[in-house]
Amino acid sequence: MAEEAPWPGRGSGPGSDDDGCEIQVENTLTSALAPALVEAVRAGGAYGGGIYLRSRDRRSLVLAMIAGIPRSLLKPWWRVPVGGAVPAAEAYRNAEGIHLSDEGETMRRFPQMSVGLPYPFASAYLPVLVYGEVVGVLIVMRSSTRGGGPAAGEDRLRTAADAMGEDLAQLQDQDCPIEYDEEPFSVRLPAAAVAGVRVGLIDWDLGSGTMAADDEACAVLGADPAAFDGTLDELEALVSPDDLHELRASRREATEQGWVRARRFRVLDRSAGEPRYRQVELWGRVVGGRERPGSARHLVGVVVDAGTGTTAAEAAERLPDGVFSMDQDGRVTYTNHRCEQLLRRSREELLGRHPWEVLHWLSDPAYEDRYRAAMLSQEPASFLARHPDGGWLGFILYPDASGLTGRVFPTAPPLDEAPDDRFPEPDAQVAAPVALRRPGALYHVVHMASVLTEAVTVREVCIAVADQLLPAFGGQELALYVIRDGRMHLAWESGYPDGFLEEFEGVPLDAHLPGVETLTSGVPIFFESPRRLSAAYPGISLDRMHAWAFLPLIASGHPVGSCILGYDAPHTFTADERAALTALGGLVAQAMERARLYDAEFTLARGLQDALLPHRLPPVEGLRTAGRYLPGTQGMEIGGDWYDVIVTSRGVALVIGDVEGHNVAAAAVMGQLRSAVNAFATSDSTPVEVLSRTNRLLADLDAGVYATCCYIELDPATGRARAVRAGHPPPLLRHPDGRTEQLQLAGGTLLGVDPDATYPVNELELPRGSVLALYTDGLVEQPGVDIDHGVEAVLSCLARTPPDSLEHLADLLVRQARRAPDRPDDVALLLTAYTGTDTPAAGTGTASG
């Protein structure tokens, strides 16, 4: 387990100011957030809750405070990435509350979270805002079977979250940061009213028999403080006649031995109206006499109302079943004698420890899981377990927010009882399990696997690892190295000082460095302090980190590289953490190797596409042209869009087309069609003949894809043009006065659908100073938005932008598409400004992406 972080207010942590502001802030955070958190739990009808605050580097949400839930149960979620697929992170990103009614809804919406918390509970997550900015997330957890769903009390939950935001705003106004990077504070919820143990102080003069008692002692003894003189007769009148011997024996014991321990007698209690007797215990020590010569001997001590705790314990001792209690964290706080007998362990061995640590036959994670299930669902849980002596025991756990009470009893074996050799003798050595043993470690592995499946390129893999690995394991530095030409090269780094990693760039595979040797040996290396690292690698350069994990990245036996994780404080790597990091290293290696192959294929495909697109547009007298191409961001980021400017015997042909698909096959078909159109155009074919012959060619190729195309043959001397359209979006025209329109050209079917299709020709005449825009649908289409809105946006940009610089206009038109992070389709654009033949020719090499 990692070393405990400094308790806020007891030493400074990372990011602390010299004047102790950090300490003051964390103490203030406690007092500011605790009342609102307790109120939120109460308002939501919940059994527990917590508050996440963003970390200083804004990469993570850190659990700052928790109430009603054991910290240990949520340890895998003490720090979560802001980009993680968990409800707290989504509420933070979207600034919207999330309510999950039960484990089924949690599984459907956040399956990765359910891996680590597969228990029946409802939960709510509300963003906490400071001046309109989300700075944290309030969470509450409640039973999914008791009353309404987690949305119950939503208004009061929102009020509690707003109160937290106001308190945090006041701290921020005092120039103290409200980010958090330490371990969570635990806040106890107000306990239900329970009759407490009453204790009173007494001073008993053993010589005269007179007892002096404070008010609480009088109440315990059933006496009126105002009328109680403490004489021996008065005292004996309060005690049951059957127990007068005990009272007198107490006085005698004190005189002879110098103390009294747990002498018990009953006193008459009239406080409830009808007289009754209650048990009282007397404890004390004698002073005076021999200790103080000449002074009277006095028994100074306490009288204890034994009618609650002691009597209850006696009752539990008489039960035929074993009874035990555990605190929130699963440590045993009480066992009765029968429980000791059934478990074959003394209470001294059990108290203060987890039962699965003391009893090796309960060390199966399935049994600890039942404790987790009870505490997080707040519903009883039960299981059967076989003792090594062959007998079966039944366990039932009854939880509440402060812990649980358990019952253990002998029971018959289940129907599917396993063979005896499954259960070793008590003295047999049990091999340590190799698999990951705790749900938290398993969660990180599964979550990282899920994230890496969505990462395609090496860059995406590196970003995913940095965004997930650092927050999940509390590291501050990350470096990913890959092998290239027999040397180690940095693929990604995060958190390192500028220039620190330069000396390690390109080191050979025989270098005496931990990042190299972890790969060549295939064994992860962990250093829990700088002293240990320096001892193993004398002279190695160190920065501000204090602990490191060096992980080999090996995929299917093939060395890929290494991953280095650094911690800014000494860190103890637990067995679970080492196992999880080792498993994650394998996942990262597989993803990295897959991404490297993808990048290589992608580079080849993009090279093919770049070779097929025009590298420059030919200069034509009377025209200025500019083209742009942007690949889609899905799939291989290549596609079948193309544009061309072809000089013919009758003028110039302006061409744009789009082959369906976004892969190498689409790019290959695009190359064939572009070559065919070029060949047909330069052989004196008319526009109709060019498209008809291209259509038959695509049908004969039987490539299983279709294409659209717009072909316009323009005479630069007159501005007259003939246009043919095959299922392609109509071109746009900007008039010299700034008016814009979409040219409604008659068209035919897509290329490749019907080899005998016909294509009508459209006559046009472009005025001098006009701009013609040919484009593919990727320029005007957006998911969820009508295509007409996209066309209007392009027309508006054409209208308000002077065509003095066609290059600038082309950049403006594709700017929005270029900025879109999720571009499902390619974008191709060809702009032609008609200036007339008395204008010098101009062309532009614009196969840009």
Side-chain angles (χ1 to χ4, degrees):
M1 181 176 177
E3 291 185 5
E4 291 290 327
W7 187 263
R10 194 178 63 198
S12 58
S16 298
D17 296 328
D18 293 337
D19 60 2
C21 179
E22 191 68 28
I23 299 172
Q24 178 185 357
V25 167
E26 290 173 345
N27 282 330
T28 307
L29 277 174
T30 309
S31 58
L33 297 178
L37 177 56
V38 171
E39 170 58 23
V41 173
R42 186 191 66 81
Y47 61 78
I51 173 68
Y52 279 99
L53 295 176
R54 62 189 180 189
S55 61
R56 295 181 183 90
D57 60 12
R58 307 295 176 89
R59 283 180 170 174
S60 309
L61 292 177
V62 182
L63 190 60
M65 184 172 293
I66 190 168
I69 307 169
R71 294 197 321 158
S72 58
L73 295 193
L74 296 184
K75 189 167 185 179
W77 290 270
W78 283 6
R79 181 183 293 264
V80 298
V82 296
V86 293
E90 183 170 308
Y92 175 84
R93 294 192 304 268
N94 299 336
E96 294 181 355
I98 295 175
H99 297 273
L100 304 174
S101 60
D102 53 30
E103 70 275 17
E105 185 175 6
T106 303
M107 172 63 78
R108 289 191 298 273
R109 296 181 60 181
F110 300 97
Q112 294 162 353
M113 179 180 173
S114 294
V115 171
L117 291 176
Y119 308 115
F121 63 87
S123 54
Y125 307 79
L126 285 85
V128 177
L129 286 76
V130 171
Y131 299 128
E133 180 184 10
V134 181
V135 300
V137 177
L138 165 67
I139 66 171
V140 295
M141 301 172 68
R142 55 169 291 166
S143 170
S144 59
T145 61
R146 301 178 187 172
E154 181 177 358
D155 292 341
R156 288 188 291 174
L157 283 177
R158 183 68 264 169
T159 300
D162 292 342
M164 287 183 177
E166 293 171 1
D167 292 336
L168 292 172
Q170 292 180 9
L171 292 180
Q172 183 171 278
D173 292 342
Q174 297 168 8
D175 295 328
C176 285
I178 57 176
E179 291 82 13
Y180 194 79
D181 272 303
E182 307 300 329
E183 291 189 3
F185 288 100
S186 288
V187 177
R188 287 204 174 271
L189 297 173
V194 177
V197 176
R198 305 182 68 182
V199 180
L201 301 177
I202 59 98
D203 184 338
W204 195 3
D205 187 330
L206 298 178
S208 66
T210 303
M211 178 183 290
D214 67 2
D215 289 352
E216 192 67 17
C218 288
V220 172
L221 294 171
D224 180 1
F228 183 64
D229 293 329
T231 65
L232 184 58
D233 290 341
E234 189 176 7
L235 181 61
E236 290 187 346
L238 298 172
V239 178
S240 167
D242 293 335
D243 292 343
L244 281 176
H245 169 75
E246 291 297 318
L247 177 64
R248 294 165 183 169
S250 300
R251 185 180 178 189
R252 184 171 56 252
E253 182 180 355
T255 302
E256 295 174 354
Q257 300 184 11
W259 62 74
V260 174
R261 294 176 178 171
R263 276 287 182 177
R264 190 175 300 179
F265 48 86
R266 289 170 292 170
V267 297
L268 187 63
D269 183 4
R270 295 184 176 87
S271 61
E274 182 179 348
R276 60 183 180 179
Y277 284 103
R278 287 185 295 103
Q279 291 275 8
V280 171
E281 277 187 3
L282 175 62
W283 294 72
R285 178 175 178 272
V286 175
V287 298
R290 285 180 302 226
E291 297 178 356
R292 292 186 294 172
S295 65
R297 302 188 73 192
H298 288 249
L299 179 69
V300 177
V302 296
V303 286
V304 181
D305 185 348
T308 52
T310 305
T311 305
E314 288 181 345
E317 292 295 333
R318 291 190 286 268
L319 291 174
D321 292 342
V323 175
F324 62 93
S325 64
M326 298 165 65
D327 62 17
Q328 272 196 337
D329 291 319
R331 291 180 173 85
V332 177
T333 57
Y334 170 79
T335 65
N336 68 350
H337 181 63
R338 180 56 173 158
C339 187
E340 294 179 274
Q341 292 178 324
L342 293 172
L343 299 181
R344 314 293 201 274
R345 285 290 189 273
S346 68
R347 67 183 66 187
E348 288 74 17
E349 294 177 277
L350 293 168
L351 294 180
R353 302 180 66 185
H354 297 108
W356 46 86
E357 293 174 348
V358 182
L359 308 167
H360 69 80
W361 47 279
L362 284 181
S363 63
D364 190 315
Y367 300 136
E368 182 183 351
D369 179 73
R370 293 295 80 206
Y371 150 75
R372 293 173 177 270
M375 291 302 298
L376 289 174
S377 69
Q378 288 295 292
E379 297 291 338
S382 62
F383 60 91
L384 299 181
R386 186 176 182 182
H387 194 279
D389 68 1
W392 284 87
L393 297 176
F395 291 80
I396 303 178
L397 309 179
Y398 302 93
D400 68 10
S402 61
L404 58 81
T405 296
R407 175 176 163 236
V408 56
F409 50 91
T411 187
L415 296 178
D416 57 347
E417 178 180 352
D420 291 339
D421 57 7
R422 274 193 56 207
F423 298 90
E425 292 301 316
D427 295 332
Q429 292 187 352
V430 182
V434 177
L436 301 176
R437 296 174 298 168
R438 293 292 178 262
L442 177 61
Y443 164 78
H444 291 311
V445 174
V446 174
H447 181 64
M448 178 65 82
S450 174
V451 171
L452 289 176
T453 58
E454 300 176 3
V456 177
T457 66
V458 170
R459 176 180 172 80
E460 289 175 350
V461 170
C462 292
I463 292 175
V465 173
D467 287 347
Q468 302 295 324
L469 200 60
L470 285 175
F473 289 90
Q476 284 70 43
E477 287 183 350
L478 176 78
L480 289 170
Y481 281 88
V482 296
I483 299 176
R484 191 168 63 248
D485 300 327
R487 293 179 176 271
M488 301 288 284
H489 295 276
L490 183 66
W492 190 269
E493 67 87 13
S494 176
Y496 281 89
D498 292 341
F500 177 79
L501 296 176
E502 290 180 359
E503 65 175 287
F504 304 106
E505 178 62 21
V507 297
L509 296 184
D510 59 357
H512 182 53
L513 292 169
V516 176
E517 292 184 352
T518 188
L519 176 63
T520 55
S521 67
V523 178
I525 305 174
F526 300 93
F527 293 102
E528 299 180 342
S529 69
R531 178 182 57 80
R532 295 186 179 183
L533 176 59
S534 297
Y537 297 89
I540 190 172
S541 297
L542 300 177
D543 61 357
R544 61 187 178 89
M545 295 295 105
H546 289 78
W548 296 264
F550 296 86
L551 309 175
L553 303 183
I554 300 175
S556 303
H558 174 66
V560 176
S562 61
C563 172
I564 305 172
L565 190 63
Y567 297 78
D568 62 4
H571 185 85
T572 300
F573 296 93
T574 65
D576 283 353
E577 195 171 17
R578 291 174 184 240
L581 287 170
T582 302
L584 287 171
L587 292 176
V588 173
Q590 294 284 353
M592 189 74 76
E593 188 69 359
R594 183 186 69 243
R596 289 172 66 178
L597 294 174
Y598 175 90
D599 283 352
E601 182 181 357
F602 173 74
T603 300
L604 177 64
R606 285 299 300 271
L608 169 64
Q609 187 175 43
D610 289 343
L612 295 176
L613 288 170
H615 285 233
R616 62 183 300 273
L617 300 178
V620 178
E621 185 179 359
L623 302 178
R624 289 184 293 118
T625 56
R628 294 290 184 271
Y629 172 78
L630 295 178
T633 58
Q634 299 180 358
M636 286 293 294
E637 296 190 15
I638 61 173
D641 291 15
W642 91 93
Y643 60 86
D644 213 343
V645 176
I646 307 168
V647 178
T648 70
S649 60
R650 293 185 296 273
V652 61
L654 309 174
V655 188
I656 196 159
D658 181 1
V659 178
E660 67 174 353
H662 305 91
N663 48 39
V664 176
V669 172
M670 176 269 286
Q672 292 175 297
L673 294 187
R674 179 179 174 238
S675 298
V677 170
N678 198 300
F680 297 149
T682 55
S683 64
D684 289 336
S685 297
T686 65
V688 172
E689 291 173 336
V690 170
L691 238 59
S692 296
R693 296 170 69 179
T694 303
N695 175 51
R696 284 193 294 272
L697 172 66
L698 181 57
D700 292 342
L701 287 175
D702 195 22
V705 296
Y706 307 111
T708 67
C709 184
C710 184
Y711 182 96
I712 300 178
E713 188 179 76
L714 174 66
D715 181 357
T718 63
R720 294 190 180 92
R722 292 183 296 172
V724 183
R725 191 167 65 90
H728 201 83
L732 309 177
L733 181 64
R734 183 190 192 277
H735 292 270
D737 59 3
R739 290 184 300 108
T740 57
E741 64 174 315
Q742 184 179 46
L743 300 177
Q744 299 302 321
L745 305 181
T749 188
L750 279 69
L751 301 177
V753 175
D754 178 7
D756 299 320
T758 58
Y759 298 94
V761 64
N762 300 266
E763 301 288 341
L764 302 174
E765 186 167 349
L766 303 182
R768 288 175 179 258
S770 61
V771 177
L772 185 67
L774 304 181
Y775 58 93
T776 56
D777 51 11
L779 182 68
V780 294
E781 281 187 339
Q782 295 182 22
V785 180
D786 192 284
I787 191 172
D788 291 339
H789 293 290
V791 172
E792 288 297 327
V794 174
L795 289 172
S796 177
C797 185
L798 283 172
R800 66 175 182 269
T801 306
D804 302 339
S805 171
L806 216 59
E807 296 294 325
H808 176 63
L809 178 58
D811 288 337
L812 287 178
L813 289 173
V814 300
R815 180 173 59 183
Q816 182 175 358
R818 189 187 299 274
R819 290 177 175 174
D822 187 15
R823 192 168 52 248
D825 205 355
D826 305 343
V827 175
L829 172 69
L830 176 61
L831 296 180
T832 302
Y834 175 58
T835 59
T837 53
D838 55 350
T839 303
T844 311
T846 55
S848 60

